[in-house]
Amino acid sequence: MKLTRNMVARKLFFAMVLPIFSACNLPTTESANINNQQTPTATSVSQQNLTKNLACTLVENGFGAPGKVKLQVEEVVTGLEVPWGIAFLPNQDMLVTERPGRVRLVRKGKLIPQPVATVNVTESGEDGLLGIATHPNFAQNRFFYLYYTADKNGAQVNRVERWQLAQNGLTASPDKVIIDNIPVAQFHNGGRIRFGPDGMLYIGTGDAREPQISQDVKSLGGKILRVTPDGQVPPDNPFGKNPVYITGIRNTQGFDWVNQSTLWVTDHGPSGDLGRRGHDELSLAKAGDNLGWPNIYRCESQQGLVTPSIVWREALPPGGAAIYTGNSIPEWRGSLIIASLRSQHLQRVVFNSQSPQQIEMHEVYLQGEYGRLREVIMGTDGELYVTTSNCDGRGSCPSQQDKILRITRRSGS
């Protein structure tokens, strides 16, 4: 049969294009549906049309350049066992949670030997007594909130419970359960709780080693939840009468607010899940956003999902995070400071002032000097506080155990 010019052109087109599609294995894009109840599999995830987003910073090697500011690090408190969260009181006292189940009081820079409260927790792996936050009107009602792992009728649950501190600050008693039945596992329990600028309580949860629940709005796992101080669902939550506020999270332990309605959220990258490793991330998010786990990771994009602003190929993984608002280090003001565990440093991330989802620069401080770092929080004195996490079974626990550090600028620098 004699070939026409059009037939030759078509043959050449398919000869060139088909091998490209075969090699890339990129079928038609499918929009993410946050109400999809199907369980993603390694095969289904890999077959989605995923592309790299050039707006995302992918850190291929290491964690960033050494920071330029000379820091002064003061050891405020020693003798703690896995201090997970800090809450500052109006009189400058600190309440500190220890993962085995103790709430400790730091008064005038001294750790009071007797715990304020001992919480009946189940502790294995990454669960136990985790986050703590004080009520916006603490001075009047003395309420504070705890995120911990409990035994409920023979089954484990993660729970947020409200407690009340005695007037002398030395004892406390439980008041009410705020939210219950958050999924729990040996790993991926989230645990950070903070009150937002709107007076609502925000709760970071993990996927409890079941990636598919992060995309299920009926599950409390793999989310940031938002409730009133009494545990009710605010009427402006994005999914109706549902505490779920942000979906698609693997395991967040740190977030802070850019403004009244927008948060920076850190998330742990996979450690073998669906054949993936590394790639911890930081994303800008607001009400109803889906951060994509497990449908995307790295700097991938998919319709309806939030692409991270920065991803580290090597595992940090991120602990607490706080926007620096102090005065002693003016260069840091407005930056997000992230504690890292395995990589043992403070990560400073600077954002573009005109486009906060864009990363302008990032740098590394205290690399390997204090071991694993967990909590990062601004104190009522305007200084940054950090806890170590060297006694959590993954670090080298020193004779002084874990510490609370205060970070300021070195004098004369």
Side-chain angles (χ1 to χ4, degrees):
M1 180 178 65
K2 184 176 180 178
L3 297 177
T4 66
R5 183 178 299 175
N6 286 341
M7 293 172 66
V8 170
R10 290 175 63 188
K11 284 180 175 289
L12 288 173
F13 173 81
F14 285 110
M16 290 185 294
V17 173
L18 285 178
I20 295 174
F21 280 99
S22 177
C24 296
N25 192 24
L26 297 178
T28 305
T29 302
E30 294 182 0
S31 299
N33 180 358
I34 55 178
N35 294 301
N36 188 352
Q37 307 300 311
Q38 294 181 353
T39 302
T41 65
T43 300
S44 64
V45 169
S46 68
Q47 288 179 347
Q48 293 171 358
N49 186 4
L50 305 173
T51 60
K52 287 188 178 181
N53 189 306
L54 298 179
C56 172
T57 298
L58 177 60
V59 185
E60 291 278 13
N61 298 296
F63 304 101
K68 296 183 175 66
V69 177
K70 303 299 182 183
L71 300 182
Q72 177 74 34
V73 181
E74 176 189 355
E75 295 184 1
V76 178
V77 173
T78 62
L80 293 165
E81 185 178 3
V82 197
W84 215 95
I86 299 175
F88 289 89
L89 307 185
N91 64 354
Q92 304 293 316
D93 284 356
M94 282 187 263
L95 293 179
V96 184
T97 57
E98 293 180 301
R99 198 161 68 185
R102 296 178 293 272
V103 181
R104 306 297 299 274
L105 175 67
V106 177
R107 175 164 286 174
K108 296 180 179 180
K110 303 293 184 183
L111 180 65
I112 304 302
Q114 185 67 25
V116 168
T118 300
V119 184
N120 187 20
V121 303
T122 64
E123 186 200 7
S124 65
E126 295 174 353
D127 55 27
L129 178 56
L130 305 177
I132 183 171
T134 54
H135 192 288
N137 295 322
F138 175 86
Q140 288 73 45
N141 58 35
R142 311 287 290 177
F143 286 144
F144 66 94
Y145 298 72
L146 299 174
Y147 184 117
Y148 69 96
T149 312
D151 183 290
K152 183 178 181 180
N153 301 322
Q156 284 187 311
V157 297
N158 284 318
R159 169 184 297 162
V160 176
E161 190 168 60
R162 188 167 72 189
W163 287 59
Q164 189 168 43
L165 188 68
Q167 285 298 323
N168 63 8
L170 299 177
T171 61
S173 56
D175 176 66
K176 70 175 293 190
V177 173
I178 296 299
I179 192 164
D180 211 355
N181 302 318
I182 299 170
V184 60
Q186 185 178 6
F187 307 110
H188 310 177
N189 290 289
R192 191 67 60 201
I193 58 175
R194 300 187 69 175
F195 275 93
D198 56 2
M200 299 295 124
L201 180 63
Y202 291 73
I203 302 162
T205 71
D207 71 4
R209 305 185 74 180
E210 296 185 35
Q212 72 277 4
I213 71 173
S214 297
Q215 292 293 318
D216 181 357
V217 294
K218 295 180 181 179
S219 171
L220 300 178
K223 311 291 191 303
I224 288 180
L225 313 176
R226 177 178 180 258
V227 296
T228 70
D230 292 324
Q232 303 302 308
V233 176
D236 58 344
N237 265 20
F239 302 107
K241 298 179 179 180
N242 188 331
V244 170
Y245 191 72
I246 294 170
T247 65
I249 291 170
R250 182 174 179 269
N251 186 37
T252 184
Q253 294 183 14
F255 50 88
D256 203 352
W257 283 262
V258 180
N259 54 45
Q260 185 87 4
S261 60
T262 312
L263 299 88
W264 278 112
V265 181
T266 64
D267 200 8
H268 289 199
S271 51
D273 318 38
L274 305 174
R276 305 164 175 172
R277 289 193 177 276
H279 300 92
D280 301 309
E281 63 185 47
L282 172 64
S283 301
L284 191 69
K286 60 185 184 300
D289 276 349
N290 186 334
L291 301 192
W293 175 254
N295 293 344
I296 60 172
Y297 90 128
R298 290 175 61 91
C299 284
E300 295 170 340
S301 295
Q302 184 176 323
Q303 185 178 350
L305 306 181
V306 173
T307 297
S309 292
I310 185 170
V311 175
W312 295 268
R313 185 183 64 80
E314 297 181 39
L316 292 168
I323 292 176
Y324 186 84
T325 57
N327 295 316
S328 65
I329 313 176
E331 299 94 327
W332 281 17
R333 200 170 299 126
S335 303
L336 188 72
I337 310 300
I338 305 170
S340 74
L341 293 156
R342 179 180 174 182
S343 57
Q344 302 183 7
H345 71 270
L346 280 183
Q347 178 84 203
R348 176 194 174 211
V349 181
V350 182
F351 313 107
N352 185 294
S353 59
Q354 302 301 316
S355 181
Q357 75 275 12
Q358 299 292 315
I359 303 301
E360 196 165 280
M361 65 166 286
H362 63 102
E363 56 185 6
V364 171
Y365 288 89
L366 306 183
Q367 179 70 66
E369 295 183 34
Y370 292 92
R372 295 166 59 82
L373 305 179
R374 176 78 61 178
E375 166 74 299
V376 174
I377 188 171
M378 295 300 304
T380 50
D381 59 357
E383 305 297 355
L384 187 75
Y385 288 78
V386 178
T387 68
T388 68
S389 193
N390 293 313
C391 301
D392 62 4
R394 292 179 172 176
S396 177
C397 188
S399 59
Q400 291 185 312
Q401 295 188 284
D402 281 318
K403 306 171 183 179
I404 298 175
L405 311 173
R406 179 163 48 220
I407 312 296
T408 56
R409 175 190 284 280
R410 186 182 302 171
S411 108
S413 64

